[in-house]
Amino acid sequence: MRRATANGSLRRRLLLSLLASSAVLAIVVYFVVQSVARQVAQDSQDNVLTASALSILDSARLSSGEITIDLPYSALSMLDSISDERVFYAIRLEDTFLSGYADLPQAVRSGGAGPAYVSTVFLGEEVRVATVGRRVSTDTGQRYLHVSVAQTLSGQKQALARISRTSMGIGAGFFLVSVLLAGIISRSTIRPLDRLTASMSRRGPRDLRPVAAPVPSEMVPLVTSLNSFMRRLHQSLRRSEDFIAEAAHRVRTPLAVVRTKAEVAERKSTDPETRKALTEMIRAIDDSSRTAGQLLDHAMVTFRLDHLTREEIALHRLVEESVERTRPTSELKDITLDIADLDTATVKGDPILVQNALLNLLDNAVKYAPAGADIKVALNAGPQDAVIRVTDTGPGFLPSELSALPKRFTRGANTQSIVGSGLGLTIAKEVIEAHGGTLKIANTTGGGACVSLLFPLS
Amino acid sequence: MRQFALSIVLMLSASWASAFEAENVAWFGPKDSERVLRIISTADIAFFEPMIASFLNATPGVAIDYTVASSTELQKAIIEERQSFDLVVSSAMDLQTKLANDGWARRYTSDATSALPSWAVWNDMLFAFTQEPAAIVVSKTGLGDLPIPQTRNDLINLLRQHPDVFRGRTGTYDVRQSGLGYLFATQDTRASEIYWRLTEVMGGLDVQLFCCSSDMIDAVKSGELLIAYNVLGSYAINRPDHQDYAIILPSDFTTVMLRTALITSTAQSPELSGRFIDHLLAKSHGPNAAPLTSSELDLGRVEPSLNRIKIGPGLLVFLDQLKKTTFLSEWESAIFQN
């Protein structure tokens, strides 16, 4: 059978798309957490800077027309309380620098009051600057006092590194959970398909019943067309079997008439040439009617296999009967037909089919064994199976043909002189396989053929 | 101490001289060495020599160029003249902090620095290697049978009860001249209001003002002073004649100055500087320490009352010109009451 060409895998495609989307989500989670945390860290730093700047601003006093500022110790020490930071400040009365670091940039707020912030580089390091201001009354009128406080970012960077690690962990954890879920999801999604595949592969070769088990809605069209396909296949098979049976049946009766006429003519004829021709004709007619008979048998077997009954079959009795039925034919050829061994065994199945199979084997043995040969039939019951073995002292099978023989219309190369259709082994094989057993053909050590039917005892 | 006296002179002369004034220079190790570590320090050579000797012992082939300067001149050398020193060692914690804060220091981390207690390191730039308390030095003989004060409160009571005995015979730093005196005074005000009461009492008793600890100790020894307040305890204990006077670490709180070292941002041999810092810290901290200051001042005994000056931007507050002006005017009004 030709294996279907695989083009990608649904499960893999599903898994990959799930993984890709969860990877994207994990990255998004990582960046969102980080940006939120960065904002929070920035805000808290800004708040501390503002508090520091406001405490300096609050210490400004007007004494005798001059502005004095009593820089609170905590204003600068609070900026260093959690992590060591470099700290800068500048106090300005409008454009006049009063104290601190004269070069420190001032954060400017575009419109509105309240603290202003700017990130910049000062004295070789990144700093965050907060600037607050308020109006003060001096001798020269209302003037504006600005206080800027700046801090390096080492504490913030530590916090961000910690947050970065945490959000990396969150992202990775999210991804791991997604991987797990993706595995489960893709498996469970594909499961109905696997189930259908398994139920289809478990079926016997002739099982063309429609699939009845419920399937997901996406698979309904596939299963519907599969069912319809099988129905058509079944019909077509049935039609061709019917046709063959019908044809064989129609051919057999006229053949019988022709044979009788030919025999009569042979008996009456005195011309040796005519007699010889008529003998050959009868032989050909025998061949044809035997084929027609086997075709009918085969059609019958096929039909019964479709509706296999399961009755108790006493194999030993069946063997005895079949041997007795074959005995007249064997005696015609001077062939000794014996039951060598007869255990008692009972199997379940269709007795007519099993007998037909056995008769075909016996028939073959009688037909292909030379005159004066011995045919032995044995029934052995073991713990696992019951074996009916038919052995003869004929020429045996050609070793090269052992596997091809049980196929339909295949005949051995050493049987040219004998009438036969090539259906006997096929019928036996189909029957035994329908009963869950196997057919084995081999040669005995003496060179004769040995055909066995193995029935499982379960 | 002599160096401090000299530094005042140099400070005055520095207004017209462009180059910073070194008080002393010394070269240790091989004369022609390629690997030279240039150190500028406020500590005089005798004080620091044991540390240099043990470093050179452990690191052969290295030479050390050691320059002694006052804390003001040291600032000038680094900031104004951009002299290429590798290490700055100073007792002026506020100025050291400002150097580091303003970007003149290089960050350095090693096993030794990460093993430091948190008070001994700032921003991986400043490393403390001594703890030197501000002490009250009392003349044992001069006090007679008066009790030796153990706290500032004791001292205030003693002065108030015997004004005639102490008039003109107490001494402390002139915080307008001495950076260390200013540092001690400002830290005292942070710790307790009692500093102002004490200053006012001493001001009322015609307190004598000094530029440096060694002069105060000399004055106590000579009998000129009975009590000197905020004397650098390490100088007092390191003198061979320290049995002649009592060194009191006030049990209400004892302000402790940390001598610190930093690697300059312009250091020519940062790797060697790092090794020197490691050596300095190994000798100063931990179980096998051999600190430069005498262990007779058992700081562990007064640990609960230790008020270590915290290295950090808080020290910048008292360097602020407006703040300093305010503080000094308050101080002057407390000292000079008439």
Side-chain angles (χ1 to χ4, degrees):
Chain A
M1 190 176 73
R2 184 158 176 249
R3 224 182 133 77
T5 321
N7 183 9
S9 149
L10 276 184
R11 179 177 307 174
R12 202 179 311 142
R13 191 181 302 175
L14 187 62
L15 196 64
L16 282 182
S17 29
L18 283 173
L19 289 186
S21 55
S22 49
V24 168
L25 278 178
I27 292 167
V28 168
V29 164
Y30 169 73
F31 280 109
V32 167
V33 170
Q34 208 179 21
S35 90
V36 169
R38 191 182 293 269
Q39 192 58 48
V40 170
Q42 180 77 277
D43 287 351
S44 66
Q45 187 183 35
D46 287 352
N47 289 341
V48 174
L49 284 172
T50 309
S52 163
L54 283 175
S55 74
I56 297 175
L57 198 61
D58 284 346
S59 72
R61 296 276 180 282
L62 197 70
S63 71
S64 56
E66 285 287 312
I67 288 177
T68 63
I69 288 163
D70 183 24
L71 199 62
Y73 182 82
S74 61
L76 299 188
S77 68
M78 73 162 78
L79 299 175
D80 188 50
S81 52
I82 292 170
S83 53
D84 290 347
E85 303 284 1
R86 291 167 64 188
V87 166
F88 313 100
Y89 68 99
I91 305 167
R92 296 185 181 89
L93 186 65
E94 283 167 6
D95 292 334
T96 318
F97 169 73
L98 295 183
S99 183
Y101 291 76
D103 301 334
L104 185 71
Q106 189 163 329
V108 182
R109 191 185 180 91
S110 49
Y117 309 98
V118 67
S119 294
T120 179
V121 173
F122 186 65
L123 293 180
E125 207 167 335
E126 279 179 79
V127 293
R128 181 78 173 168
V129 187
T131 301
V132 295
R134 77 170 158 99
R135 217 168 277 288
V136 288
S137 304
T138 63
D139 291 349
T140 52
Q142 293 270 316
R143 302 188 66 185
Y144 217 75
L145 185 67
H146 290 287
V147 174
S148 298
V149 177
Q151 182 186 32
T152 51
L153 308 177
S154 58
Q156 201 199 12
K157 278 182 181 147
Q158 279 169 20
L160 284 180
R162 211 166 43 236
I163 287 161
S164 187
R165 280 196 299 274
T166 310
S167 46
M168 189 88 86
I170 292 174
F174 181 86
F175 184 68
L176 280 183
V177 171
S178 307
V179 166
L180 213 67
L181 288 179
I184 295 170
I185 289 170
S186 63
R187 188 175 295 249
S188 83
T189 309
I190 296 297
R191 191 172 299 139
L193 208 54
D194 288 343
R195 261 204 307 264
L196 180 67
T197 310
S199 91
M200 290 309 282
S201 359
R202 260 202 315 274
R203 289 187 170 204
R206 311 202 128 260
D207 189 351
L208 292 175
R209 284 171 302 148
V211 176
V215 291
S217 58
E218 289 83 356
M219 282 168 61
V220 166
L222 173 69
V223 170
T224 309
S225 37
L226 188 66
N227 282 346
S228 134
F229 175 74
M230 286 197 300
R231 197 187 66 246
R232 278 179 283 133
L233 183 63
H234 190 231
Q235 279 171 353
S236 150
L237 276 177
R238 169 60 50 81
R239 256 202 306 276
S240 61
E241 300 280 359
D242 286 353
F243 173 78
I244 291 165
E246 185 68 19
H249 181 69
R250 299 247 174 144
V251 162
R252 207 154 59 153
T253 320
L255 275 180
V257 177
V258 171
R259 194 186 192 277
T260 319
K261 299 271 183 201
E263 267 178 349
V264 172
E266 190 203 11
R267 247 178 254 135
K268 285 183 180 161
S269 169
T270 51
D271 177 28
E273 286 213 358
T274 314
R275 283 178 70 105
K276 191 175 173 245
L278 282 169
T279 309
E280 276 172 16
M281 204 168 122
I282 290 166
R283 210 179 110 84
I285 292 165
D286 279 352
D287 201 357
S288 298
S289 67
R290 190 186 158 80
T291 303
Q294 276 194 326
L295 280 174
L296 271 173
D297 270 1
H298 188 249
M300 184 271 290
V301 165
T302 306
F303 177 77
R304 292 192 76 97
L305 282 178
D306 282 350
H307 314 277
L308 193 66
T309 56
R310 297 245 169 228
E311 296 168 24
E312 295 271 325
I313 311 168
L315 278 183
H316 45 284
R317 213 165 293 142
L318 190 133
V319 167
E320 281 173 336
E321 267 176 42
S322 308
V323 166
E324 288 317 311
R325 273 175 65 171
T326 317
R327 201 176 295 285
T329 333
S330 68
E331 279 168 356
L332 279 181
K333 276 187 82 177
D334 239 355
I335 287 175
T336 324
L337 181 59
D338 281 331
I339 295 178
D341 216 345
L342 193 66
D343 295 347
T344 311
T346 312
V347 294
K348 287 212 157 153
D350 186 333
I352 296 174
L353 285 182
V354 175
Q355 183 160 54
N356 195 286
L358 184 54
L359 284 174
N360 265 298
L361 291 188
L362 291 172
D363 199 37
N364 272 355
V366 171
K367 195 160 57 171
Y368 297 117
D374 283 344
I375 298 179
K376 295 213 181 314
V377 182
L379 169 62
N380 297 105
Q384 242 109 80
D385 48 14
V387 186
I388 301 173
R389 199 171 279 116
V390 178
T391 47
D392 63 43
T393 53
F397 301 107
L398 291 180
S400 56
E401 293 174 335
L402 280 175
S403 61
L405 278 173
K407 290 184 183 158
R408 238 189 256 202
F409 306 119
T410 304
R411 302 187 62 205
N414 52 355
T415 59
Q416 295 316 317
S417 54
I418 303 159
V419 172
S421 64
L423 275 171
L425 275 180
T426 311
I427 290 169
K429 184 171 151 62
E430 283 179 3
V431 167
I432 189 71
E433 283 178 358
H435 287 78
T438 47
L439 174 128
K440 277 188 185 162
I441 62 174
N443 286 330
T444 62
T445 43
C450 172
V451 182
S452 324
L453 296 176
L454 279 79
F455 291 90
L457 292 176
S458 57
Chain B
M1 206 158 156
R2 193 167 44 82
Q3 276 85 356
F4 278 106
L6 195 54
S7 78
I8 304 302
V9 179
L10 292 171
M11 238 165 70
L12 295 172
S13 59
S15 52
W16 51 267
S18 67
F20 84 98
E21 296 289 335
E23 291 170 9
N24 212 338
V25 223
W27 184 279
F28 298 90
K31 287 275 174 286
D32 50 350
S33 176
E34 290 283 300
R35 304 172 68 200
V36 182
L37 190 63
R38 300 195 65 207
I39 302 177
I40 185 165
S41 168
T42 60
D44 61 344
I45 295 169
F47 179 78
F48 211 61
E49 194 173 2
M51 189 62 75
I52 292 175
S54 60
F55 177 72
L56 292 181
N57 236 359
T59 325
V62 171
I64 287 180
D65 180 3
Y66 190 76
T67 305
V68 183
S70 75
S71 56
T72 325
E73 289 301 301
L74 188 154
Q75 296 282 310
K76 192 177 166 189
I78 298 293
I79 296 174
E80 287 172 29
E81 297 175 25
R82 313 266 160 119
Q83 295 274 344
S84 62
F85 287 103
D86 297 300
L87 281 168
V88 178
V89 177
S90 170
S91 57
M93 291 177 71
D94 42 5
L95 295 176
Q96 286 282 84
T97 303
K98 190 159 167 57
L99 273 185
N101 191 62
D102 293 4
W104 298 100
R106 178 191 292 261
R107 285 200 166 86
Y108 174 71
T109 49
S110 68
D111 290 347
T113 66
S114 43
L116 286 178
S118 63
W119 55 260
V121 58
W122 183 73
N123 225 338
D124 299 328
M125 292 172 167
L126 278 183
F127 308 100
F129 65 96
T130 64
Q131 302 186 66
E132 304 180 34
I136 303 171
V137 173
V138 178
S139 166
K140 288 178 187 169
T141 50
L143 221 53
D145 42 1
L146 291 176
I148 291 182
Q150 296 297 327
T151 67
R152 287 173 184 75
N153 233 356
D154 289 355
L155 181 57
I156 289 173
N157 289 337
L158 189 66
L159 296 180
R160 276 185 179 156
Q161 283 158 17
H162 308 279
D164 299 334
V165 178
F166 291 104
R167 189 170 307 280
R169 298 188 73 184
T170 61
T172 190
Y173 269 115
D174 184 347
V175 301
R176 296 166 301 179
Q177 283 186 32
S178 162
L180 185 61
Y182 180 68
L183 182 66
F184 279 150
T186 52
Q187 292 297 322
D188 278 358
T189 62
R190 281 203 352 93
S192 169
E193 274 299 310
I194 203 168
Y195 173 78
W196 289 119
R197 279 202 280 141
L198 180 60
T199 308
E200 275 177 13
V201 170
M202 289 199 296
L205 294 174
D206 296 336
V207 65
Q208 296 196 42
L209 299 178
F210 291 82
C211 69
C212 2
S213 285
S214 43
D215 287 6
M216 281 191 267
I217 297 166
D218 285 344
V220 170
K221 243 198 103 195
S222 70
E224 187 188 344
L225 292 184
L226 294 179
I227 287 178
Y229 177 70
N230 269 357
V231 177
L232 194 55
S234 51
Y235 278 18
I237 199 78
N238 271 18
R239 284 168 68 123
D241 51 2
H242 69 81
Q243 294 300 339
D244 298 353
Y245 43 85
I247 304 168
I248 312 297
L249 301 181
S251 60
D252 47 350
F253 66 90
T254 303
T255 305
V256 177
M257 176 272 280
L258 310 174
R259 217 175 273 267
T260 56
L262 63 82
I263 305 175
T264 61
S265 54
T266 55
Q268 303 287 310
S269 27
E271 187 268 330
L272 201 55
S273 309
R275 286 170 72 176
F276 190 84
I277 293 279
D278 287 348
H279 180 79
L280 189 63
L281 297 178
K283 286 274 178 203
S284 323
H285 297 274
N288 301 319
L292 288 173
T293 52
S294 168
S295 55
E296 279 177 59
L297 275 181
D298 188 2
L299 289 179
R301 190 172 47 83
V302 289
E303 180 71 39
S305 59
L306 281 192
N307 180 30
R308 284 192 193 89
I309 301 175
K310 187 178 180 300
I311 316 172
L315 289 173
L316 303 180
V317 168
F318 292 106
L319 289 181
D320 183 84
Q321 274 313 312
L322 295 174
K323 182 83 174 180
K324 191 165 185 173
T325 311
T326 314
F327 183 86
L328 289 182
S329 74
E330 276 185 57
W331 183 81
E332 280 174 347
S333 67
I335 292 284
F336 308 112
Q337 291 170 4
N338 33 4

